[in-house]
């Protein structure tokens, strides 16, 4: 049987799709899977930041239309690009194994800084130009050092790394998962801890989207699920949904495991990135417990931001 998977055409999107195809064929070797590249609004408009061209959905709408009309059988996305509300007739399958969710600071090679000195450099240097198109990253960089000058960059990972030199940037911030999936080496990369920068909700995880009523495809793709990843993204996306966050505000959340259980850490800020609040909540293992943690933490941070803005 032949299946068609829809994907964006970037090197990272294709690598992500290939990883899902490999997982499927490992379990179902008799299947044949063909890739169909679909260009989205987010791929076509590269000269504006994400918050200026739309919200969640700018990288998925065109792909979802082809899924609904039967041109493709399933689609692979970065989970952090997905709206929290999935369109009628569609659903996300259970989440496969997650890649490293952390954010990475890629330094201009003119700097020879050891990993243990990067944060000191970032905190104390004046007027560093750092490339990113993410309000979440901008807000947290400004929290580290308010003199940092964010420079809007978009495009695939290779293009962003090239812009360090073309635009004479001091550094850029990108996702560790993208670096790992593409096997990029030879760069000076510092991995932020979750204390230093809270990742985007679902960062490092893949979203596999199918038609809701297609039980056969659903069954194949649900077999790829990783229970830990499912629990993590349930908490993080419940947080995002309750915050009602998209590209227009800085928002992020990450689940991490500690000696005494699981914690959901979140951050939330106002649209101009000038106020930002953090919090965390402990929860027990389980999907429902994870989801409730996301809802509860979001409510706490919504009130916390209101209080902070009241006294500014």
């Amino acid at each position: 049987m032949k299946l068609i998977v829809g994907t964006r055409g970037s090197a990272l999107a294709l690598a992500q799709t290939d990883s899902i195809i490999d997982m499927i064929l490992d379990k179902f070797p008799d299947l044949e899977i063909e890739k169909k590249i679909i260009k989205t609004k987010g791929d076509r408009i590269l000269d504006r930041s994400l918050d200026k061209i739309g919200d969640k959905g700018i990288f998925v709408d065109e792909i979802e239309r082809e899924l609904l009309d039967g041109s493709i059988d399933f689609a692979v996305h970065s989970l952090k690009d997905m709206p929290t509300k999935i369109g009628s007739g569609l659903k996300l399958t259970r989440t496969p194994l997650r890649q490293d969710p952390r954010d990475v600071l890629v330094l201009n090679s003119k700097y020879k800084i050891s990993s243990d000195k990067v944060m000191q450099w970032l905190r104390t240097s004046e007027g560093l130009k750092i490339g990113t198109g993410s309000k979440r990253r901008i807000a947290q960089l400004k929290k580290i050092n308010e003199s940092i000058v964010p420079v809007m960059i978009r495009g695939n990972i290779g293009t962003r790394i090239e812009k360090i030199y073309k635009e004479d940037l001091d550094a850029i911030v990108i996702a560790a998962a993208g670096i790992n999936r593409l096997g990029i080496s030879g760069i000076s990369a510092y991995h932020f801890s979750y204390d230093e920068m809270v990742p985007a909700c679902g960062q490092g995880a893949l979203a596999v989207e199918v038609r809701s009523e297609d039980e056969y495809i659903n069954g194949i793709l649900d077999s790829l699920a990783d229970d830990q990843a499912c629990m993590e993204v349930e908490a993080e996306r419940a947080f995002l949904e309750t915050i009602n966050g998209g590209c227009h505000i800085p928002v992020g959340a990450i689940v991490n495991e500690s000696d005494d259980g699981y914690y959901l850490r979140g951050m939330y800020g106002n649209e101009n990135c000038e106020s930002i609040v953090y919090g965390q909540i402990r929860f027990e293992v389980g999907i429902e417990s994870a989801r409730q943690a996301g809802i509860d933490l979001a409510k706490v941070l919504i009130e916390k931001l209101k209080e902070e803005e009241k006294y500014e």
Side-chain angles (χ1 to χ4, degrees), residues 55-256:
D55 212 317
K56 295 285 185 180
I58 60 172
F59 292 114
V60 303
D61 289 347
E62 290 85 351
I63 297 174
E64 288 185 332
R65 282 198 287 274
E66 298 217 19
L67 191 52
L68 284 168
D69 71 19
S71 300
I72 58 175
D73 297 297
F74 66 101
V76 178
H77 314 272
S78 293
L79 185 63
K80 69 177 183 177
D81 292 337
M82 297 301 292
T84 53
K85 302 287 189 186
I86 305 302
S88 177
L90 301 174
K91 62 171 283 191
L92 299 185
T93 63
R94 298 181 70 232
T95 308
L97 187 67
R98 188 178 194 177
Q99 253 286 359
D100 188 340
R102 292 177 294 174
D103 285 295
V104 171
L105 186 75
V106 180
L107 280 72
N108 188 311
S109 61
K110 69 184 178 182
Y111 295 110
K112 310 299 181 186
I113 307 171
S114 61
S115 290
D116 60 329
K117 302 292 186 185
V118 169
M119 284 306 295
Q120 180 184 352
W121 171 77
L122 202 57
R123 291 188 181 107
T124 58
S125 300
E126 283 293 316
L128 291 173
K129 292 192 298 179
I130 299 182
T132 176
S134 159
K135 285 200 167 185
R136 172 187 61 82
R137 289 169 175 156
I138 291 169
Q140 293 185 92
L141 286 169
K142 299 290 276 187
K143 188 85 169 177
I144 292 168
N145 180 343
E146 63 180 15
S147 80
I148 285 173
V149 179
V151 177
M152 197 284 287
I153 58 168
R154 297 238 353 260
N156 61 48
I157 288 180
T159 299
R160 294 186 200 195
I161 292 173
E162 288 173 4
K163 285 185 177 181
I164 296 175
Y165 306 102
K166 286 182 178 177
E167 301 190 18
D168 192 28
L169 305 178
D170 295 295
I172 62 171
V173 184
I174 54 180
I179 293 173
N180 295 345
R181 287 191 171 111
L182 290 173
I184 294 173
S185 60
I187 57 174
S188 179
Y190 173 79
H191 290 68
F192 286 105
S193 71
Y194 297 148
D195 288 329
E196 294 161 348
M197 185 167 290
V198 176
C201 302
Q203 186 160 294
L206 298 181
V208 185
E209 192 173 21
V210 296
R211 289 181 290 276
S212 304
E213 78 284 356
D214 196 330
E215 294 182 7
Y216 176 70
I217 303 293
N218 266 273
I220 290 172
L221 294 165
D222 272 342
S223 73
L224 311 181
D226 177 79
D227 289 341
Q228 174 83 13
C230 291
M231 183 177 69
E232 291 173 359
V233 302
E234 188 71 29
E236 294 164 27
R237 283 174 64 76
F239 174 84
L240 182 65
E241 182 178 4
T242 307
I243 290 280
N244 193 25
C247 303
H248 299 283
I249 57 171
V251 58
I254 185 68
V255 170
N256 64 300

